[in-house]
Structure formats: structure tokens, C-alpha cells
Amino acid sequence: MAKESKITDLLAADLTVINVGLEGFAIDLHAQNVDVVHVDWSPPAGGNVKLAALLSKLGS
Amino acid sequence: MLAADPVLVDVIPASVAIPDLGDRMILHAGPPIDWPRMCGPMRGAIAGIAVFEGWADDLETAEQMAADGAFTFAPNHHYDAVGPMTGMTTISQPLMVVENRAFGNRAYCAINEGLGKVMRFGGNDAEVLARLGWLRDVLGPAMGTALRDMGGIELKPLIARGLSMGDEMHQRNVACSGLVLRALAPVMAKTSRDTAALAEALGFIGANDQFHLNIAMAMGKAIMDPVRNIEGSTVVTAMSRNGTDFGIRVSGTGDQWFIAPVEMPQGLYFAGFTEQDANPDMGDSTIVETIGLGGFAMGASPAVAGFVGAGSAADAALFTRTMGEIAVGENPEWTIPALDYLGVPTGIDIRLVVETGIAPTINTGIAHREPGIGQVGAGVVKAPMACFEQALVGIAKELGIE
Amino acid sequence: MTGVVINRVRGGFYMDSVALMRFSRTIVSLDGVEDAALMMGTPANKEIMENAGLLASDGVTAEAGDLLIGVRTTDQAAGDAALVEIDRLLDQPSRSAGEGESWSPRTIRAAVQAYPSSNFALISVPGDFAAAEARKALRRGLHVMIFSDNVAIEDEVSLKQEARERGLLMMGPDCGTAIINGTPIAFANNVRRGGVGIVGASGTGIQEVSCLISRRGGGISQAIGVGGRDLKQEVGGISTLMALDALDVDPATDHIVVISKPPAAEVATTVIARAEACTKPVTICFIGGDARPSSGNVTYANTLKSAAEAARGGRAFGFFSFVESALPSGRHRVRGLYSGGTLAAEAQIVFLQSDLSVASNVPVPGALSLSDAEDAHVFLDLGDDDYTRGRPHPMIDPAVRFEPLAEALHDPAVGIILVDVVIGHGAHPDPAGQLVDMISATAGDNRPVIIASVTGTDEDPQSHAAQVSILRNAGVIVAPSNADAALAALNVLGESSG
């Protein structure tokens, strides 16, 4: 079944990780030769809660 | 946007191109603005064009008339036009015509005057007006004849070639200007009856590295105009400044301008000039970034990175990648060889701008704050975030979202 | 409180919370600085800073997406100097800057565009933002692990429902440990590859079980973390059930272990039913749960050690024999200081099984809360929210164990101190060494007996063997598992009472 297969695929796959947050995790994965890209993240809309709420309603 | 097919087809007088443009109407760059708030170069240009059109006998009279409300000011953008820096457009100006054959719409821009003391930097003395007269009477008609004869110049492939030759089409147009001259020269020669005039015309074009800028701008407008008024669309259709305000328009909110004070460019100054001499950001030329060129295509133009003080050649690529974060997609026809043929980031989405806090990066020339002196440097300037935040609220209201 | 309090707010500024805490410590060590904190401006954090005397009027308006800086100094000059240093630290070019600075994507969207083969997102941004980021990842077809805690439970439920609809794995929120196809992620150990597949609502629980199995000659196929709240009523075990489905058909797995605190009754029933429908043997470890007889393919274990034994075919791991220590005279209380909540729970269970009185800040069924502690033996989970407000988790920074340890060493009633030492990825480079330093810095004569276990393997960067050695050389009794450490404490207690 298609759905089961996505998780099954993951459990047999080489990970390609997108790391959002603590950079230490990306560094550690990289040291293990895992493909990882660290996202240079900052709060959406510069932390402005009202704009961020609008954004989520506008389907960003 | 990607379906556009812009072609430089003609040069015609503004009064023919824009029937609604009448006596004592002066179109300017940027969003709407009135006389009291205009910067020095803008006022200088207005005075100059008023004299040029014969609406005032001299510059002082012209300024007084302007202050008294004798002229009607309006943005170029409201009349299918664009103009660099002060962007003066009046009835007798020769306007280049770019037709978007995929949608049938046209956009207009005056011919680039060259560097130094020119009206786009607020120049308004006899030399400036004489040149405008020459453009109106000699170069404009000559170009128009040639363009009609050859069936126009397709611009998309020209841009593609220019990108591979190191142009980004805002601060660096030398390759594209050369390509235009190559296309025009034989036809102008064929259609010319006056060798001396031909020599002058070709020499003028050939001496102006930025000749193609105005063509790129008209092309930008021609590409973006059909993208207007798509319900719910958050794509930016215009970005523009008048030396005081920065304005953007967004597809889903139609002709509404979202305005905030312009920012100061960060850049490098020519010898003898400093930040104190700089005029705030000005011109319709940001239409170039709106279609994914200029600062967005900086990765194609490492030389520009140094010129605008953006950093090393390697940093140029970073700008393009960063702009990719706020664009809807890539343009597969306009690619950057040095970035593995990455297409230029295309379609600025206000949602992405607000979400990421990344404002569009613009490669711009810096004018002297005093009218008529000319360009004093070049730099990178950001579109003000406030414009995009306001636009986000605006489109939400349009869609009935709180 | 005396002193000058200065606040600064950096709008929309994000920096790694671990890095921020390191900076805070650096600032506190400057001349004239009494205290300092750099935190995101969430209401909870502002309250923490207010309680610490670090919030001024400038800082009150900070929002969740802003960085709030608070410094309390002896005078204005020291405060200004501190702010200069803070700016310097915050504005340092990031690790990736350099010649021909390489580009880092700023959003998940750009990351996926640039790396279309991505299949996994690991999210550890502040809790207020984690759900939105996780949703973006799911919508781009990525499996997700959320390390962040303080995510609203409603968000957890909707994320897991959406993940289920999309057929993607949602591990967490509050998931610190996973091993996917042999790759340890976040706080996890280098364990041998083998046939045991673990589904865990507890990070240190997964770590202890996987390490015990690995050290005893077995191996791990997968370790899927589901987040601490997965088996609560509201969440209904969505991720646990999906993990069971996946492990049931995973060719690399021949035995499944489920680890959790006792779930809500309905959820327990559903999970047990799914386990019974598995084609493979399943060991269910609801830590501290009621003893249950095996049925069919399902066995029950209520400690981590017995779960590991069950996964190894039910063979007991044997007794831990050690050179017994005498209790110092007059001291007969046990104090447990744990960085792993599940390890604290397991220790409580071992004591309760011997009918001893036990209290904790995270009491298991049958244990007392701290306010009712009286003469009970006390087990503290130092990683619990009460202790980690505004401070690093002890697994990230063992130094936060210092104060409770010093207190225990000098408490005239405490005769035995129990500690866990967790190594592996994400952990401190030398937790045993740090612990030994802390002990020798504060212990006097007649100090309590100290009993520890090391959760880890020899293949971990810190090396299990090396860490054990360091502890033993300092006179610490080291047991082969967390449960064994608790049993050893019981032995010592028993010894002394005759």
C-alpha cells in the first residue's frame, strides 16, 4: 500500500536531513557522514505574531 | 510571466503612444507624489522638461508654475510607461515601444540619455535640453524606422545572451547594449539617408554602456502588466521609487500602491564623492528586479558585485540564491551559467518576503542630491519591508481574511 | 534586589538556544555582572527573567520571535560593557562564513528546492514555532522529527493526523532520540545493528534499552521515537500505531519493543490490540505499569532492563556483584539525581518493588510527591520542566547537576546518591569526568556512597568502557544498568541494616 511504503522506504533509506534549529545536531550528523543541510532559520515575519498569523491563513 | 514574448518594435512620440498624455502633464518615476515632497533632482528635471516642452520660458518660472499647481503630475506606471531615475515623460518625448506579443500589451520608456549631466539625474541646462531635442528629432525617428523595417528585436533571447556575458541588466548592460547596437546598426544604415546623422546616432548608442537599461525597463513593464489583477495573487507587479517614497504594487490588489520611505543605498562612491552627496533611491528601474534581473541576477555578474560594493565575486552568487527564497520560481529561459544554469528567481511573492524577512535586493545607481550633477556611485539597496507588510494586510483584506 | 538591570531587544533574531545559554554563561563571568540571560521573548521566558530580577521595562514588550537580553550589574558601566560584549558575540560571523561564503537556505522551502532528494526534517526551533515548521516539512513530503517541547497539544494532534493522512512519520514533539536505518539522530547511541525494533515515547528509555541490548550481543534495527505525549488520550497513540505498522513489515526487524509511561487506558487497549495483531514478538514496557501475564506474541516488562532481557529472548542479564560499601553512619536515605526522566522512573519502580517508600518530582504510581516526602527516598528528574526553565537540560550541560549534587553530598541524612550518566550523540563529551570533578570539588569526609550506571556503548564517542573507568577510579560504584544501580543501592541499604 502506498502509504505504508513511504515509511518502509524511509526505514531502508539513506537519510537526507534538513535541520531546522540547533546547529549542533547538523554538525553531529555531518560528522557521521549523513547528508544534512542546516537551515539558517529565524522566526517568520521577524517575530511579529499578527503578520505570522496572516501568513498562515494566506497559505504560505 | 514566463509566457511573455517582449519585442522592441518601435520608437514613437509620447503623445501617440499615450493618448491620455496631454498639455502640462508630466509623468515621473515612482509612486504618486506632489511637488512639496519631491527631491532636488526630481524638481530640477520637472523644471527642465517644462521648459523643453515650451510650457515655461525659463527654469525659475517653471519651478514657480510647478509650486502653483500648473502641471499635472502622475506616475509613469499609470500610463503604461517607466522611466529611470527622475523618469520624465511628456508629450513630445520619443518613447521606445516594447510589445508583449503573447498578450498584446505595450509598454514605453524614453531613450537613455547617456551618463553625466542628463535629465534623469535632474540636469536641465541648455546642453541637456538640446540633447533631448536631438533624441526627439534625430535618434528617436531613426531607431523607429529601423525597428519597423526589421520587424523588431526579440528581447528574451537577447537577455539570455546578456546573462551569459556578464550583464545583470540594471547596473551592467554593456553586453546587451552591444547586442542591440549589432542588431540595429545595419538596419539603421540601410534606412538612413544622412551619413553624418547616422554616424552621430550609432556613436551615441555605442558610447553608452547603459543604453539597454531603458529597453530592459520597458520590457519589464511589458512582461509584468498582464500579471496584474489576478485575484488572490501575491506576486509583485511593480516596484518603483521617486526619490522620497518606495512603492510596490501586487497582483491581487490591482493598482493600489503600498508605500514607505526609500532606504539609502549601501555602496561605493566615485572619486570625490561620499554618502553626504547621495540622493535617496529613485527611479522605475526596479521593474528590472521585479522580473528577476538586476540584483536578483547578480550571480551572472560578479563584476557588478565589486562595483556596487556587495562584496567579492563569490558573494554575487549568494545574492541570487537569497533572492530565490522570496521568488515563486526560476526562469528556465534566463539562466546563469556560473550557477550551474540556475534560472533567475522569478515572481516576487510578498508572503515569502514577509515570512523570511528577506527584502528584494536592488542594484542601483546613486545620484547626486543636487540636480544635474549625475551619478556619484552605485550600490545595493533593499526594498522597504513595510511595503510588503502593508501589502500582506491589503491582500488579506481583499480576500476577506482578518 | 540591588543592581542595575538593563534590557535590549533584537527583533526577529534567532540564535540556537544552546549557543545562547553558552553566551549567557560567558556574560555572567564578566566583571560586575551579577546575572544575565539571553532568551526568546515568550511569556514564559519573560516570567523566568522577571523572577530572576532580569526584566526591565524595555524588555516587557518583547515578543516570542524577538531575542530578549537581560543583564543585571553592579553599576551602569559594567552593564554597558556587558552589552558591548553581547553584541560582539551575537554578531560574530556564523560558522559557515568565510571566503566565498557558502549559502545556507533560510527556509525549509528553499532547502527542499536546493536539495530535492531530502527525506527527513529535524526540527528544534523554539516550541512556539515548531508546529508551523513541521507542517511545512510534512507538506513537502518529508518525514519529521520534532525535538522541541512546549508545543501545544492541539498542534501535536493535528500534525500527527496530517502525517498519518500523508503516510509520513511524525516523531514528537518532545522527541529526543531516534535511530533510522542505523543512523543515530539527536540524542542516540552507536549501537549494533540487529533485529530489535524499538518504538519509544521516551528518549532515555530508548537509549537505555538499545544500549543494554547492544552490549549484550544483540542489535537494533530501528528506534522510532514518538514523543512524550503520544500515548495520552488526546493524541491516541497515532505515531505509536504507525510505527508498529511499519516495524511489523520491516524486513530488518524480528522483535518489537514498545516503551512508554503507562498510557491512558483506552490508548493502552488500542496499542495492545495492535501488538497482538503483529506477526512478530512484541515486548511492551509500560514503565511502572501493572504486571501483566504474556499473551500470545506479547510479553510485558515493567522496567527497561527486563524489557531488554525480553528482547534478548528472555535470558536474564545476571546479577551485578560488587564490592559492597558501608553506609556512612547515621545516613540511610537515598537521593537519586537523574538527567533522564525514564531512568528516574525505573529507579523508583525498583525501590517500590521492595516495598520502600519513594518520593519524586515525577512520581510513578505508588510514589509520593515531593511535598509529602518526609522520610522517603527521593528521586529527582533534573530534566523536568521545573528544573530546566531558563537552564540547559542536564544531558546537554551536566553542570546543572552541580547544585543538587552538592546539596545531596552535604545532606546529613543522605547515605547513597544514585546518578545516571548518559553518553552518545548529543551528550557532553565527558559526563563522567565532569561528575567526578563535581564530586571531588564538594565532597567532604564521610561522604555518601555514590552509585552510577552509564547508558551507552563502547562505540559511542565517549566510550562506555572509558566512562566506567573514570567513575570507578574515583570510587563510584558503577552498575551495568540503571535498574542494577537501583538494586545495588537496595543492597547497600540492606547491608547496613544488619
Side-chain angles (χ1 to χ4, degrees):
Chain A
M1 192 173 284
K3 278 185 199 164
E4 272 160 11
S5 78
K6 278 195 224 167
I7 299 180
T8 302
D9 289 345
L10 176 71
L11 298 183
D14 284 335
L15 293 180
T16 308
V17 180
I18 294 179
N19 185 58
V20 191
L22 300 175
E23 202 180 353
F25 290 151
I27 295 169
D28 184 86
L29 286 167
H30 184 70
Q32 296 181 66
N33 288 321
V34 174
D35 283 332
V36 53
V37 54
H38 180 68
V39 170
D40 184 11
W41 183 86
S42 57
N48 182 319
V49 176
K50 253 182 43 186
L51 286 177
L54 262 188
L55 279 176
S56 62
K57 286 182 195 157
L58 283 168
S60 138
Chain B
M1 276 174 73
L2 299 179
D5 181 17
V7 184
L8 177 63
V9 291
D10 206 349
V11 179
I12 55 180
S15 55
V16 175
I18 307 170
D20 288 338
L21 190 61
D23 188 52
R24 300 188 180 193
M25 265 184 83
I26 303 177
L27 305 184
H28 60 80
I33 187 169
D34 48 21
W35 179 256
R37 296 184 70 237
M38 288 181 184
C39 64
M42 184 74 82
R43 290 186 175 198
I46 282 169
I49 205 73
V51 170
F52 179 76
E53 293 288 1
W55 300 328
D57 292 330
D58 56 50
L59 296 173
E60 288 83 36
T61 313
E63 286 206 27
Q64 189 56 55
M65 287 174 74
D68 291 341
F71 305 121
T72 307
F73 300 125
N76 280 310
H77 266 293
H78 291 192
Y79 291 90
D80 298 335
V82 281
M85 287 293 169
T86 55
M88 297 288 102
T89 305
T90 51
I91 39 177
S92 64
Q93 297 289 294
L95 300 184
M96 297 187 296
V97 182
V98 174
E99 186 175 282
N100 184 343
R101 293 202 169 142
F103 296 90
N105 61 301
R106 293 180 148 206
Y108 311 102
C109 188
I111 300 173
N112 193 287
E113 304 160 85
L115 307 169
K117 216 195 301 173
V118 291
M119 182 162 282
R120 76 172 178 284
F121 292 115
N124 52 20
D125 65 10
E127 186 194 323
V128 173
L129 301 192
R131 188 186 303 108
L132 286 182
W134 179 80
L135 289 173
R136 175 193 60 200
D137 300 331
V138 181
L139 182 58
M143 277 180 65
T145 306
L147 285 168
R148 288 189 299 272
D149 185 273
M150 68 196 284
I153 300 175
E154 284 183 29
L155 295 176
K156 271 211 293 199
L158 191 140
I159 299 290
R161 292 194 73 184
L163 284 170
S164 72
M165 292 163 73
D167 277 1
E168 37 74 286
M169 293 78 198
H170 195 156
Q171 277 308 288
R172 196 172 157 100
N173 277 283
V174 57
C176 287
S177 298
L179 293 172
V180 167
L181 182 58
R182 258 173 52 152
L184 273 179
V187 189
M188 282 176 74
K190 184 184 88 172
T191 56
S192 163
R193 287 188 202 97
D194 179 342
T195 337
L198 173 66
E200 219 189 335
L202 295 179
F204 177 85
I205 299 175
N208 184 354
D209 283 355
Q210 282 288 70
F211 185 76
H212 177 263
L213 173 63
N214 295 33
I215 298 172
M217 288 174 58
M219 177 188 73
K221 178 99 177 121
I223 289 175
M224 289 317 298
D225 274 356
V227 183
R228 295 181 302 183
N229 294 307
I230 298 173
E231 192 188 332
S233 169
T234 48
V235 170
V236 174
T237 52
M239 294 195 290
S240 189
R241 336 68 115 202
N242 55 33
T244 308
D245 297 324
F246 195 114
I248 69 169
R249 281 172 151 181
V250 176
S251 181
T253 46
D255 288 336
Q256 191 177 353
W257 284 102
F258 299 101
I259 293 172
V262 285
E263 306 199 350
M264 283 303 279
Q266 300 295 312
L268 296 175
Y269 289 87
F270 303 156
F273 297 106
T274 70
E275 258 173 48
Q276 332 294 59
D277 303 312
N279 194 66
D281 199 27
M282 186 167 55
D284 290 324
S285 56
T286 32
I287 195 71
V288 165
E289 274 78 11
T290 311
I291 57 169
L293 302 172
F296 282 53
M298 220 192 309
S301 196
V304 157
F307 182 60
V308 297
S312 72
D315 294 329
L318 261 182
F319 281 90
T320 292
R321 291 218 181 262
T322 305
M323 292 301 101
E325 303 244 20
I326 59 173
V328 172
E330 281 174 40
N331 188 330
E333 289 180 88
W334 289 346
T335 61
I336 301 176
L339 298 186
D340 256 343
Y341 296 94
L342 181 69
V344 299
T346 298
I348 302 168
D349 188 331
I350 60 170
R351 296 172 302 181
L352 295 174
V353 172
V354 175
E355 184 190 339
T356 61
I358 298 171
T361 293
I362 297 151
N363 285 349
T364 186
I366 305 173
H368 199 287
R369 57 171 60 254
E370 299 297 321
I373 297 182
Q375 188 171 356
V376 297
V380 169
V381 72
K382 297 226 183 104
M385 186 55 63
C387 293
F388 301 91
E389 289 174 349
Q390 286 172 40
L392 193 74
V393 173
I395 194 137
K397 224 198 275 179
E398 191 67 31
L399 296 172
I401 296 172
E402 268 322 295
Chain C
M1 231 175 259
T2 56
V4 177
V5 180
I6 307 177
N7 282 175
R8 283 284 183 276
V9 177
R10 283 201 179 204
F13 187 92
Y14 171 75
M15 187 171 270
D16 203 308
S17 59
V18 173
L20 287 177
M21 280 172 190
R22 256 190 274 121
F23 289 169
S24 300
R25 266 219 299 277
T26 310
I27 300 305
V28 171
S29 67
L30 293 176
D31 280 340
V33 177
E34 293 171 9
D35 200 0
L38 285 70
M39 312 182 86
M40 300 305 280
T42 60
N45 286 347
K46 284 193 283 190
E47 202 187 317
I48 292 170
M49 287 181 70
E50 189 174 18
N51 291 339
L54 288 171
L55 189 67
S57 53
D58 290 344
V60 171
T61 50
E63 295 191 342
D66 301 329
L67 176 65
L68 173 57
I69 300 163
V71 191
R72 193 173 73 249
T73 53
T74 48
D75 57 44
Q76 183 74 35
D80 292 335
L83 286 175
V84 168
E85 179 63 7
I86 288 172
D87 281 340
R88 193 190 69 78
L89 287 171
L90 292 176
D91 294 332
Q92 271 172 145
S94 69
R95 194 181 309 266
S96 57
E99 267 188 357
E101 188 175 324
S102 61
W103 170 75
S104 260
R106 313 255 277 261
T107 56
I108 290 176
R109 177 183 174 271
V112 172
Q113 268 179 354
Y115 302 95
S117 62
S118 302
N119 53 16
F120 194 92
L122 174 55
I123 294 169
S124 55
V125 298
D128 283 334
F129 303 99
E133 296 305 313
R135 197 161 287 120
K136 290 172 198 170
L138 283 179
R139 288 184 186 169
R140 286 175 172 86
L142 305 174
H143 301 273
V144 178
M145 176 167 161
I146 305 178
F147 177 82
S148 320
D149 59 7
N150 289 311
V151 176
I153 194 156
E154 300 80 28
D155 286 331
E156 176 166 353
V157 174
S158 82
L159 281 170
K160 285 181 170 173
Q161 285 171 343
E162 185 167 347
R164 179 173 56 194
E165 269 158 53
R166 292 175 183 275
L168 296 167
L169 209 45
M170 173 58 69
M171 300 193 280
D174 194 27
C175 173
T177 303
I179 305 175
I180 302 295
N181 196 22
T183 300
I185 304 169
F187 291 87
N189 303 84
N190 287 336
V191 295
R192 287 160 40 129
R193 207 72 204 278
V196 180
I198 303 174
V199 182
S202 151
T204 38
I206 294 175
Q207 290 188 266
E208 175 80 347
V209 170
S210 61
C211 289
L212 290 179
I213 291 170
S214 179
R215 296 208 315 263
R216 295 287 177 164
I220 306 301
S221 56
Q222 317 282 350
I224 301 175
V226 295
R229 297 183 302 207
D230 194 58
L231 293 153
K232 288 186 77 130
Q233 185 66 34
E234 299 95 317
V235 188
I238 295 175
S239 294
T240 300
L241 295 168
M242 287 176 74
L244 283 172
D245 287 345
L247 292 177
D248 199 17
V249 299
D250 175 37
T253 300
D254 50 48
H255 188 118
I256 300 172
V257 177
V258 180
I259 305 169
S260 169
K261 294 191 298 226
E266 253 182 65
V267 182
T269 307
T270 314
V271 170
I272 290 168
R274 184 59 190 88
E276 286 172 351
C278 275
T279 62
K280 303 172 184 175
V282 181
T283 298
I284 294 186
C285 176
F286 293 152
I287 300 156
D290 300 328
R292 246 186 256 249
S294 319
S295 98
N297 64 321
V298 180
T299 49
Y300 294 87
N302 68 355
T303 63
L304 301 170
K305 180 187 173 189
S306 54
E309 286 172 329
R312 289 293 297 142
R315 281 162 281 154
F317 288 167
F319 291 112
F320 168 47
S321 65
F322 61 100
V323 176
E324 284 126 11
S325 294
L327 277 176
S329 62
R331 297 164 161 234
H332 38 249
R333 281 231 218 109
V334 175
R335 179 79 52 85
L337 302 172
Y338 290 90
S339 57
T342 313
L343 301 176
E346 187 179 40
Q348 291 175 60
I349 289 156
V350 168
F351 270 55
L352 287 171
Q353 281 172 348
S354 287
D355 291 323
L356 291 177
S357 181
V358 154
S360 173
N361 62 324
V362 284
V364 298
L368 302 161
S369 66
L370 285 182
S371 47
D372 300 328
E374 291 181 357
D375 276 338
H377 302 288
V378 171
F379 294 84
L380 297 178
D381 171 12
L382 298 172
D384 189 55
D385 283 352
D386 287 336
Y387 288 94
T388 55
R389 286 227 183 86
R391 319 188 67 195
H393 193 281
M395 277 184 43
I396 294 177
D397 186 1
V400 303
R401 213 164 12 184
F402 185 78
E403 262 175 48
L405 183 62
E407 204 197 305
L409 284 166
H410 291 136
D411 187 325
V414 172
I416 301 175
I417 296 176
L418 276 168
V419 284
D420 59 354
V421 177
V422 181
I423 61 173
H425 295 277
H428 189 274
D430 182 13
Q434 267 232 331
L435 187 64
V436 162
D437 286 343
M438 282 191 262
I439 294 167
S440 47
T442 49
D445 302 322
N446 202 33
R447 72 148 199 225
V449 174
I450 302 177
I451 305 175
S453 71
V454 179
T455 300
T457 66
D458 289 340
E459 290 70 42
D460 280 331
Q462 304 89 338
S463 168
H464 183 267
Q467 293 283 287
V468 169
S469 197
I470 289 169
L471 292 167
R472 284 191 178 143
N473 288 342
V476 173
I477 297 170
V478 185
S481 76
N482 183 62
D484 284 310
L487 285 168
L490 287 178
N491 264 323
V492 173
L493 282 176
E495 273 294 312
S496 292
S497 50

